[in-house]
């Protein structure tokens, strides 16, 4: 069964450093998303991406964040200058042309020191 | 942002019995609702969904009920199995391809 994959599974970085989180969505899906879950809190929406552009973003998704689909398979989230409060699980998700159900990857645990 | 609320942080059920997980929402524009199951250190796994034009959707042991007038949905698992022990999230969206708004989650423990 096709699934969303994410790399790395864990990332430790120093405050102020740039990180790139990578995702491979399900191959025939058209909608792509990033969410995050800070420990003990809700899963929060960050950004959605469709037709090679951002379709919606949350207040969390400020100028420090960017997304890219550099080729036909990868979908990346870049945090330019990480802050301590960026420590969280980051989940990538994708959905097909019906855009009803979002399928999530296993997540990347980011720890900013 | 409290548009989707799961008021029970935990639920304990005996194996073989019914588990009922509840979710309330405030935004009447939500038109699609989903339940996800999540194990620690894993991503949410899609379980079942329901469109706002329906009031019930069933898939095997899982049934989701939607009461639009009460802005309430519930997930029934019957019979419950120990492998169902996980955190269950309800989520809602307002349009196709739109962001999901999640509840806080309910941790279900099914005891043998």
């Amino acid at each position: 069964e096709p699934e969303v994959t994410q790399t790395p599974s864990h990332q430790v970085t120093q405050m102020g450093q740039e990180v790139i989180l990578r995702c491979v969505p399900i191959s025939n899906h058209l909608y792509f998303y990033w969410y995050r879950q800070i420990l003990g809190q809700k899963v929060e929406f960050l950004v959605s991406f469709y037709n090679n552009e951002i379709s919606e973003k949350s207040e969390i998704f400020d100028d420090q964040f960017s997304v890219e689909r550099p080729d036909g398979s990868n979908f990346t989230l870049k945090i330019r200058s990480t802050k301590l409060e960026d420590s969280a699980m980051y989940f990538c998700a994708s959905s097909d042309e019906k855009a009803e159900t979002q399928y999530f990857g296993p997540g990347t645990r980011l720890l900013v020191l | 942002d409290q548009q989707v609320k799961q008021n029970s942080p935990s639920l304990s059920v005996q194996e073989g019995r019914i588990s009922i997980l509840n979710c309330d929402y405030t935004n009447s524009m939500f038109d699609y609702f989903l339940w996800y199951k999540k194990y620690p250190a894993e991503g949410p796994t899609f379980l079942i969904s329901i469109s706002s034009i329906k009031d019930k959707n069933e898939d095997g042991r899982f049934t989701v009920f939607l009461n639009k007038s009460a802005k309430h949905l519930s997930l029934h698992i019957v019979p419950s199995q120990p492998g169902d022990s996980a955190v269950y999230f309800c989520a809602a969206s307002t349009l196709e391809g739109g962001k999901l708004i999640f509840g806080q989650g309910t941790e279900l423990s099914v005891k043998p």
Side-chain angles (χ1 to χ4, degrees), chain B residues 2 31 50 57 61 109:
Chain B
Q2 293 290 310
D31 58 10
I50 188 166
N57 188 26
R61 296 186 298 115
S109 175

Side-chain angles (χ1 to χ4, degrees), chain A residues 33 35 42 45 99-100 102 105, chain B residues 1 4 32 36 43 97-100:
Chain A
Y33 312 84
Y35 292 81
K42 288 186 178 186
F45 168 78
E100 290 174 338
Q102 296 179 25
Chain B
D1 184 350
V4 178
Y32 201 68
Y36 287 87
K99 65 184 180 188
L100 293 179

Side-chain angles (χ1 to χ4, degrees), chain B residues 63-76:
Chain B
T63 303
V64 56
F65 295 92
L66 175 62
N67 183 334
K68 284 177 63 180
S69 61
K71 295 191 177 69
H72 177 83
L73 66 155
S74 60
L75 174 68
H76 293 209

